[in-house]
């Protein structure tokens, strides 16, 4: 297979982990006989610095001309600490999602047997936890009409039936491929937009009789994720709730540096780690590259290349079992490995297996 990949390293630790993701992708492609070409493009603060736009037209064109985007992170303290800034790095991420039609964000939440002790939850609760959060990505308050004033401000949480139907179909498809259990998360007892979500989901249930569908208010879902994470198989929800719940879910694994994600829809799909730019670690060779590398596994699997994705997952598991880990997940007294060293170890493992 020929794959054209857009590389958007972005800000903070993004360039460091991007290198490792690219290397893992190249190693697997070489092993399976795929031809891969890469085109690099600017996004986030790096793009603002260069051209004044966090998602430049050139970057958009490179994305649309590619089969997939391997994205790393955006964010910079210069903008975080300036509430008056009218252009921000994160606007580049929102623009990319909107312009590429990426309405579905898929975030797997899983635990690793060798890292259960790192979870803030007790080991019996998180052992074998394995679920997928599917977040609607281009609607709701993040994109609704806004007003910001000195005395009053508002954000509009608007959804259409068509937007709700298409994300629910993605969720049902994932549930059918997994354990056939879908939880629709809303706040239908308070919000009109949530009642639309629930009404549409109840209408669609009959189309998927093989899937058990249940409904849960978002506050209850947040509590249930902590009390009983193994209850969930596939969870689907709107943009704002999904943003919060997926970050909460990431803590179950013990480190945000372990979890990848995919954003899909009508345009070029984007694969990225969930952890953000972590600017404090920039240039220190301590950032965990595993979420970026596992994003590559999701990229391969998106194109039906299951064996390629599986090989990456095996390599990541092998690195954890061998204690080849960055500092935040290393065992006490374990050898120091940095971003580069972990990535290089995984590439060697791929080449040798």
């Amino acid at each position: 297979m020929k794959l054209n990949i857009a590389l958007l390293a972005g800000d903070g630790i993004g360039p460091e982990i991007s290198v490792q993701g690219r290397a893992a992708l190249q190693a697997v492609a070489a092993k399976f006989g795929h031809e891969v070409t890469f085109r690099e493009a600017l996004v986030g603060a790096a793009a603002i610095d260069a051209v004044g736009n966090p998602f430049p037209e050139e970057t958009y064109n490179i994305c649309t001309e590619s089969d997939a985007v391997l994205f790393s992170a955006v964010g910079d303290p210069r903008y975080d600490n300036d509430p008056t800034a009218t252009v921000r790095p994160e606007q580049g991420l929102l623009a990319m999602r909107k312009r590429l039609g990426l309405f579905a964000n898929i975030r797997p939440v899983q635990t690793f047997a060798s890292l259960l002790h790192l979870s803030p939850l007790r080991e019996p609760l998180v052992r074998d936890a394995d679920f997928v959060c599917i977040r609607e990505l281009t609607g709701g308050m993040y994109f609704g009409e806004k007003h910001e004033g000195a005395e009053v401000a508002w954000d509009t949480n608007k959804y259409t039936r068509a937007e709700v139907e298409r994300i629910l179909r993605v969720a049902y498809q994932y549930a059918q491929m997994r354990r056939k259990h879908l939880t629709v998360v809303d706040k239908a007892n308070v919000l009109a937009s949530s009642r639309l979500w629930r009404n549409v989901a109840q209408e669609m249930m009959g189309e998927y009789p093989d899937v058990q569908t249940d409904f849960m208010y978002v506050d209850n879902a947040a509590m249930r994720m902590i009390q009983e994470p193994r209850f969930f198989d596939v969870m689907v929800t709107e943009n704002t709730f999904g943003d919060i719940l997926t970050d909460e879910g990431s803590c179950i694994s013990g480190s945000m540096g372990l979890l990848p994600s995919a954003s899909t829809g009508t345009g070029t799909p984007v694969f990225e780690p969930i952890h953000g730019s972590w600017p404090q670690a920039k240039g220190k060779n301590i950032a965990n590259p595993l979420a970026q590398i596992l994003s590559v596994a999701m990229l391969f699997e998106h194109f039906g290349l299951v064996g390629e994705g599986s090989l990456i997952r095996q390599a990541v598991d092998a690195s954890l079992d061998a204690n080849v880990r960055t500092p935040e997940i290393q065992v006490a007294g374990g050898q120091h490995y940095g971003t580069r060293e972990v990535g290089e170890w995984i590439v060697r493992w791929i080449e040798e297996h």
Side-chain angles (χ1 to χ4, degrees), residues 258-313:
L258 296 169
L259 298 182
S261 73
S263 297
T264 64
T266 58
T268 308
V270 175
F271 302 88
E272 62 181 290
I274 72 165
H275 50 59
S277 64
W278 195 16
Q280 297 83 358
K282 178 180 178 180
K284 296 181 179 179
N285 192 40
I286 60 172
N288 193 338
L290 295 187
Q292 180 82 88
I293 292 170
L294 287 169
S295 297
V296 175
M298 293 187 75
L299 185 156
F300 278 123
E301 290 159 356
H302 176 82
F303 292 103
L305 304 175
V306 177
E308 289 84 338
S310 177
L311 183 61
I312 289 178
R313 297 182 188 280

Side-chain angles (χ1 to χ4, degrees), residues 6-323:
L7 278 180
L8 276 61
D11 308 322
I13 61 171
E16 298 167 66
I17 62 171
S18 180
V19 169
Q20 306 312 322
R22 175 176 180 161
L25 198 160
Q26 288 177 308
V28 172
K31 196 171 191 70
F32 284 83
H34 302 304
E35 181 181 332
V36 182
T37 58
F38 297 94
R39 295 179 68 187
E40 298 183 9
L42 293 170
V43 70
I48 297 174
D49 291 343
V51 298
N53 183 343
F55 188 59
E57 198 67 19
E58 181 181 0
T59 299
Y60 169 70
N61 290 334
I62 289 174
C63 290
T64 58
E65 293 164 4
S66 301
D67 298 306
V69 177
L70 186 60
F71 168 69
S72 298
V74 294
D76 190 288
R78 291 175 295 160
Y79 301 91
D80 296 340
N81 299 327
D82 181 7
T84 66
T86 57
V87 179
R88 297 178 178 276
E90 292 77 11
Q91 291 170 348
L93 181 56
L94 295 178
M96 178 167 63
R97 291 168 176 171
K98 193 71 171 180
R99 295 192 68 186
L100 295 179
L102 305 178
F103 63 84
N105 181 241
I106 297 105
R107 288 193 181 185
V109 176
Q110 66 179 106
T111 54
F112 299 83
S114 61
L115 299 177
L116 293 177
H117 64 288
L118 295 179
S119 174
L121 302 182
R122 297 195 308 274
E123 183 174 319
L125 292 179
V126 297
R127 181 177 293 278
D128 300 322
D130 176 13
F131 60 95
V132 175
C133 296
I134 297 182
R135 166 190 171 193
E136 199 288 324
L137 208 54
T138 58
M141 284 194 290
Y142 288 11
F143 293 94
E145 182 182 348
K146 302 177 185 299
H147 171 78
E148 185 172 353
E151 302 299 328
V152 63
W154 69 76
D155 300 277
T156 306
N157 198 41
K158 178 182 176 182
Y159 274 102
T160 66
R161 172 176 289 271
E163 288 174 324
V164 177
E165 284 182 350
R166 69 181 182 179
I167 192 67
L168 285 171
R169 292 201 186 281
V170 172
Y172 271 115
Q173 289 164 7
Y174 268 85
Q176 287 179 318
M177 292 186 292
R178 289 173 51 88
R179 300 191 300 274
K180 296 180 169 55
H181 176 203
L182 177 65
T183 302
V184 181
V185 176
D186 60 34
K187 191 64 175 171
N189 57 336
V190 175
L191 300 178
S193 57
S194 281
R195 287 191 285 276
L196 175 65
W197 273 73
R198 185 166 293 209
N199 289 338
V200 173
Q202 288 174 339
E203 293 171 8
M204 292 177 62
M205 287 170 55
E207 299 180 39
Y208 301 91
D210 57 327
V211 176
Q212 174 191 345
T213 304
D214 51 41
F215 299 86
M216 196 174 293
Y217 295 147
V218 63
D219 42 355
N220 187 24
M223 181 174 64
R224 193 75 176 267
M225 284 174 65
I226 299 303
Q227 292 179 325
E228 191 184 359
R230 286 178 296 185
F231 168 83
F232 296 102
D233 177 24
V234 177
M235 171 193 298
V236 62
T237 191
E238 57 104 82
N239 204 344
T240 305
F241 296 161
D243 193 1
I244 298 166
L245 290 176
T246 51
D247 277 4
E248 179 187 5
S250 72
C251 296
I252 292 171
S253 70
S255 171
M256 291 186 76
L258 296 169
L259 298 182
S261 73
S263 297
T264 64
T266 58
T268 308
V270 175
F271 302 88
E272 62 181 290
I274 72 165
H275 50 59
S277 64
W278 195 16
Q280 297 83 358
K282 178 180 178 180
K284 296 181 179 179
N285 192 40
I286 60 172
N288 193 338
L290 295 187
Q292 180 82 88
I293 292 170
L294 287 169
S295 297
V296 175
M298 293 187 75
L299 185 156
F300 278 123
E301 290 159 356
H302 176 82
F303 292 103
L305 304 175
V306 177
E308 289 84 338
S310 177
L311 183 61
I312 289 178
R313 297 182 188 280
Q314 292 173 46
V316 167
D317 287 340
S319 72
L320 294 173
D321 291 342
N323 291 330

Side-chain angles (χ1 to χ4, degrees), residues 20 285 289 324 336-346 348:
Q20 306 312 322
N285 192 40
V324 180
H336 174 83
Y337 292 91
T339 311
R340 289 189 301 273
E341 290 76 22
V342 171
E344 290 167 357
W345 192 96
I346 287 174
R348 285 196 301 272

